[in-house]
């Protein structure tokens, strides 16, 4: 076959997110280190390194039997921006070394465009295909987000803003989360981060079966943010809901985002959908929360509730068909142990991205009294 | 009652979108004019004003019996950036006058926080509540998006990139769009912009009934973009899917975004979800399109397919409960004729925002050969 | 001659300035209108339209016998963002119509690249050469800056920050401004805006002579900003001095920028240059102000003092040599009455750009207490 | 004395520069490492590490007898973005360890606001005063600029764009550089980087005398950029000259920027100032270069020539007066060996910042053919 596609070369800008609290991410999954720079972090904030390390541990591989066993300690090393345990207002740079860089046996698949991976699009866009396990498109990059998000959580804690995500659905196994209250403890009490322990056991059984079959499955993470004051979000293009959507859809394998009543809610009539205002304890509240805590793009003081859909991981060990770089149709299978579902490890990533968006908008909203 | 909430004042930045092709929007629904400035529009492009006006006409009120009857001609007036029928490379500024500014009888509801409107959040954030029909939070602002998007479409046409949106679902009435091919003609052949004319009639009947009952309903717009080359989208935070999500979730009443297999697809196993690469006519294609045309955040050359969920309009004439600015619980009903569903008029808005995102990313991707 | 240069086409992005208080400028000198959009302007600020108009009048053509006689009323028309005399926090859009658009006799020079004008660079960059008097490169664009700057001045007044610029040098005629205190009244008391009335008369005499000879001359504007608190400016790349320099060097005909002791000060030893801190009235002050009010890129509470050098206007009626678009060497002279020196009308432009930079940095600095 | 100033706390955003080629800088002078992230660097570029290290060596302390003797090897360590000797298009992160972090005897001056240093402004702005030698305001941060600039130079070399800076003036010792051609070899042949070796010897003698006296002196760096094509620079606020000014005024100790005829040129009449176009070898050239290679904010193909004024270093060992943090007036002297003049080591910093600005604008200008 003489398929001869053109190798465009392009570059990869846009590794930053946030307007005032701004994160820049770097590193490849099989390079020497991943890392990030946090610019705009306020001075004088106590930095609890243990907390940040614990957040990274929630994401790291090998933490349980149902996730990939890549051996990484994922220890954070902070290079700047902190002095005597407090932030100084200067950029906070951190790195996490990649220990498990040994070349696994990628040689057999080095020339194959793996289905639903980024091999093909990266190769066509950048003229370079990283055969060492995904390079920059690897989900390993999400550790930068988790670390940066942990710093953001330290800020939000000072304002009693709390972020809690959990596995809402995996495959066909789903919980009814509506009007239920969950704690971090219950969520972290099982390796799939499902707040219903019975359902968690079913999920674990299913995931083990899938792993054995060399297959994988998708799911939904639900995230709730409490304590958000009225006023976060900047119309018209920088709505809080819009920036949450962007942050979530930028996570690997994300296929959908919905807030409040979301996709299901489209069947509701306005008279059912509308969240009536009421007075409770001398406070203006809404009777229902179909808005998911955001109205007109601005937080209304109610709990922010959104969900993110993740597809099944593309890395499966079953035999697959594809095309190689020379344009030949091939059959192949990927060796190694992969996550049968991204959802459990996506939970801290969703929380981290939410923390970054909320902290950034909190600071944007703080400009309000400048000329009063 | 002595509820005494604090009036924060804040400002409203962030009325711009796009990195290289950048739109800035201005104007209130009951001010003298709405308008926008397009910066970064390339020179030498023929500007078909009739096309731009027609796009505005697709969005304008009063176009059919099932939409609001506010009387606006929505004629575009271009102030700069075009000379002898061609773009000059300078900023293109345009305005659309507001004709129907007569004060409808808002006085009775001027002090009420209408449920699921932006009255409450705007008032708390800005210290000002525009009682004249929504001010900046009004859906009338979307005319700026449609006009700007029409300019973007002129660019995309030169690259044979085509954008087509339609009403996929309204309430419980839905079409099976999978693997079906639709044309602009069939979509525009009925006032609800549903490409299935039978279903369109059912929808119209339902909407008229709802309007009579003083109620409203939600729905889903599906959008497809064909002709997109491989390579659009910038990892890791500026993925094409992430920016489409942000643009869509920034539209009034949007509650959800999904791409490709989306929320439904989470039940699929990896072996079902993965889009196998195949060779068709010497081109690398995918056998299925669960990815919705984007892999690793970068377009893969397949059709881009996404859906946006819109809630039922908050403006209904049924009796509702709420709270007024003095903190009193009140009952009220909104007079006047409102859209019973935003979906038909949201179709051109979704297309416009998609055009802006794709054109911007097309230009970002064009930097690729600078130092070859 | 067969010179055949390539017409590149490019576009003209970047018509915005400011991070939080952000201005977008549009319009060509011979189009229907010039205008701007101010995004990020706080709500609740009283808008004194008379003041804004007066600022525009200080810049407008025809204001005195020593400036160009183009007939423009330069009346500002505000389209959005203001309600009941106060800002609402939404984008403030304004336009100024171009009245004197009649085609002067540009036909004879339409094909000539006028020396030290932007004809050549614009034509090569954009593929379009506007023969109607400069298009976007015309100094007429500075009216947008003056209008936007007037809005910024309204903000700064609330903080008792005052900006005062004046003609420091025109050609070889210069005043010794050091340690002298000037008022707006004395500066505006003569058409060249020189605070020394005797020197002003000499300058006027010189400019009239130059105008008669069909020639022009350069000069220096000095600008002083009092009342700036300690702390404005963001290291390391967003220093207050760096952004003032950028704003000033973006004004037409600017050739140099210096702050404090500037170019002259390089001969000073450290022991002479250093501004000793002293205590005056229980306040920390500096004994001298060689720093010009900014240290380490951050305002130190002293008066900010900087100077901007402007070259002689390129439009002169004397016979000149040049090249036309076909690559022929030609001789030509430009008819019409032009400013023999830009400095007097540049004074309000320098003030306006300074106001925009200071107000933007004031707001950036206000984020400081977010998480205290 | 009971002076009781308020400690504001603020943060330090804005450690990034560039729109498409974007640098983010981090690190404190006495922390563990300085470093940077380069985003937007194109893929497929051969990275000559030796060249980058050599550029750093031109800036490092201890390189000659007339500069500070702080012991730093300044070895660059690249963490990401390069594979098999070529850039991959992903962010390039690099660090340089700080070896000489031993606490010099800062204790005696820890509480003093050193005159014309950033101690006072940083302390007031951030609530933190780094007593270990300047922290983030230290000139040591410029190594990040030099490293990043070296990467940019690799890009510009591919387009035959060459950047050459040199010491033009130190104190009263100055060379007449006009119409002279200098090479890198002659400039680097003496430690003060003055292309006139006789003058260099006089400068060295003067600097040694000043060092002995515990004093310091200012000077001017001239920079020339050849090979720049017509068309770089984006009106109206993103002029090439404006961004060069910002980049230069962001360098520590910079007090002035001028381009082409600069401050001196203000005395020229338009008929002298204007650069006549002529045809030379079938190319349009200008007969003179008072414009300094930029017209209307856009490069015109001539050599870009600008100068940057630097004040005398504030660190001198002579006895000085100042105020301490408790508001007491004090006398003190700073021990240790400091640069008596920043100009020789500023030469590579000016070149680096110029390279970053030119490369960024080169890429911005490359978007031009997107929709042709």
């Amino acid at each position: 076959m003489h398929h001869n596609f053109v190798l465009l070369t392009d570059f990869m800008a846009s590794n930053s997110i946030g307007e005032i609290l701004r994160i820049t991410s770097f590193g490849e999954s099989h390079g020497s280190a991943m890392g990030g720079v946090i610019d705009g972090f306020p001075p004088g904030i106590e930095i609890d390194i243990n907390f940040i390390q614990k957040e990274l541990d929630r994401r790291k591989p090998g933490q349980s039997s149902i996730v990939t066993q890549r051996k990484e300690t994922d220890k954070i090393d902070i290079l700047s921006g902190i002095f005597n345990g407090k932030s100084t207002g200067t950029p906070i740079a951190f790195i996490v070394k990649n220990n498990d860089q040994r070349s696994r046996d990628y040689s057999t698949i080095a020339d194959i465009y793996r289905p639903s991976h980024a091999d093909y699009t990266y190769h066509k866009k950048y003229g370079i295909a990283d055969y060492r396990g995904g390079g920059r498109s690897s989900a390993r990059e999400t550790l930068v987000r988790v670390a940066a998000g942990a710093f953001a959580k330290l800020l939000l804690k000072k304002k009693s803003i709390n972020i809690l995500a959990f596995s809402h659905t995996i495959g066909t196994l789903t919980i009814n989360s509506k009007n239920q209250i969950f704690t971090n403890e219950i969520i972290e009490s099982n390796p799939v981060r499902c707040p219903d322990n019975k359902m968690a056991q079913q999920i674990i059984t299913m995931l083990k079966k899938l792993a054995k079959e060399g297959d994988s499955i998708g799911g939904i993470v639900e995230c709730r943010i409490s304590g958000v004051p009225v006023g976060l979000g900047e119309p018209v293009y920088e709505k809080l809901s819009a920036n949450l959507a962007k942050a979530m859809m930028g996570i690997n394998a994300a296929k959908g985002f919905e807030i409040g009543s979301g996709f299901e809610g489209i069947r509701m009539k306005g008279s059912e959908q509308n969240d009536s205002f009421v007075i409770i304890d001398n406070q203006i509240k809404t009777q229902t929360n179909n808005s998911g805590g955001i109205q007109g793009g601005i937080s209304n003081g109610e709990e922010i509730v959104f969900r993110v859909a993740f597809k099944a991981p593309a890395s499966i060990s079953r035999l697959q068909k594809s095309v190689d770089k020379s344009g030949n149709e091939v059959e192949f299978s990927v060796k190694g142990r992969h996550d049968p579902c991204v959802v459990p490890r996506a939970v801290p990533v969703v929380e981290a991205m939410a923390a970054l968006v909320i902290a950034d908008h909190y600071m944007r909203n703080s400009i309000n009294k400048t000329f009063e």
Side-chain angles (χ1 to χ4, degrees), chain A:
Chain A
M1 221 219 67
H2 299 281
H3 177 74
N4 186 12
F5 56 81
V6 180
L7 292 189
L8 301 173
T9 61
D10 189 354
F11 48 41
M12 195 187 298
S14 306
N15 292 279
S16 298
I17 194 165
E19 292 296 308
I20 290 181
L21 184 68
R22 189 162 177 85
I23 314 309
T24 300
S25 161
F26 61 83
E28 292 89 45
S29 62
H30 286 73
S32 64
M34 315 289 296
V37 184
I38 307 172
D39 202 0
F41 197 88
I45 307 291
E46 275 187 50
I47 304 302
D48 180 348
I49 302 280
N50 286 337
F51 171 73
I52 293 165
Q53 186 60 54
K54 271 183 196 157
E55 288 291 285
L56 278 170
D57 293 346
R58 291 174 71 206
R59 194 219 68 95
K60 80 172 176 183
Q63 62 182 277
S64 78
S65 62
I66 53 102
V67 302
T68 177
Q69 297 302 307
R70 177 172 168 157
K71 286 195 175 58
E72 295 287 357
T73 50
D74 284 3
K75 288 292 168 209
I76 192 166
D77 182 14
I78 295 175
L79 301 177
S80 67
I82 297 178
F83 184 54
N84 290 337
K86 286 192 175 180
S87 63
T88 59
T90 64
I92 298 171
F94 61 85
I95 57 173
V96 170
K97 295 239 170 78
N98 296 323
N99 298 317
D100 191 4
Q101 306 170 41
R102 71 197 145 123
S103 260
R104 299 179 224 175
D105 196 5
Y106 282 110
S107 61
T108 56
I109 59 160
D111 285 333
I112 296 171
Y113 292 131
R114 291 168 297 164
S116 291
H117 269 278
D119 303 345
Y120 175 67
T121 52
Y122 269 62
H123 194 188
K124 292 276 279 186
K125 184 177 179 75
Y126 300 107
I128 287 169
D130 195 321
Y131 52 81
R132 299 171 303 160
R136 188 80 182 134
S137 70
S138 164
R140 184 153 176 75
E141 189 275 332
T142 57
L143 75 80
V144 178
R145 307 176 188 219
V146 170
F151 279 94
K153 282 183 175 182
L154 291 178
L155 296 177
L156 298 179
K157 273 181 185 174
K158 294 185 71 105
K159 298 296 175 184
S160 303
I161 298 174
N162 192 42
I163 300 177
L164 195 77
F166 55 85
S167 298
H168 174 279
T169 303
I170 291 184
T172 54
L173 300 173
T174 185
I175 60 169
N176 183 356
S177 62
K178 205 164 181 188
N179 297 326
Q180 298 220 45
I181 294 169
F182 303 123
T183 63
N184 193 55
E185 287 65 38
I186 181 85
I187 292 166
E188 293 296 319
S189 70
N190 63 67
V192 290
R193 297 197 168 89
C194 176
D196 176 332
N197 264 320
K198 264 193 197 162
M199 183 61 77
Q201 294 313 313
Q202 293 185 49
I203 291 171
I204 291 169
T205 304
M206 177 184 67
L207 292 183
K208 289 190 172 172
K209 184 163 169 288
L210 274 171
K212 205 172 284 178
E213 295 167 1
D215 218 330
S216 63
I217 193 77
I220 295 173
V221 174
E222 180 167 312
C223 183
R224 297 168 176 192
I225 314 173
S226 60
V228 177
V230 190
L232 307 201
E234 306 295 324
V236 294
Y237 298 121
E238 296 285 320
K239 288 173 175 153
L240 186 56
S241 38
N243 276 324
L244 283 171
K246 176 174 178 173
M248 298 306 146
M249 290 303 294
I251 301 174
N252 305 44
K255 299 301 288 179
F257 172 88
E258 63 177 11
I259 188 156
S261 57
F263 274 90
E264 291 299 310
I266 60 158
R267 296 192 201 106
M268 295 165 86
K269 293 182 183 174
S271 54
E272 302 161 321
Q273 168 79 43
N274 282 358
D275 294 322
S276 293
F277 289 107
V278 290
I279 302 290
I280 298 176
D281 294 340
N282 262 9
Q283 295 287 321
I284 296 183
K285 305 292 289 174
T286 62
Q287 203 153 30
T288 49
N289 189 16
N290 292 314
S291 300
I294 298 178
Q295 290 177 327
I298 301 169
S299 62
N300 68 352
E302 304 295 322
E303 191 177 53
I304 293 177
V305 183
F306 64 84
R307 282 167 296 281
V308 189
F310 292 95
K311 70 177 176 116
S315 286
I316 54 175
S317 54
R318 298 184 77 155
L319 198 69
Q320 294 186 84
K321 289 184 179 180
S322 192
V323 167
D324 69 15
K325 291 178 191 170
S326 310
N328 303 308
E329 294 188 335
V330 294
E331 288 203 334
F332 76 104
S333 69
V334 185
K335 299 284 176 294
R337 178 81 185 285
H338 303 282
D339 281 310
C341 182
V342 299
V343 167
R345 287 177 65 205
V347 164
V349 181
V350 165
E351 284 184 10
M353 295 308 294
L356 290 170
V357 170
I358 298 293
D360 187 43
H361 271 284
Y362 199 101
M363 291 164 101
R364 291 165 85 164
N365 191 46
S366 77
I367 308 170
N368 56 1
K369 294 174 183 168
T370 310
F371 291 104
E372 270 181 9

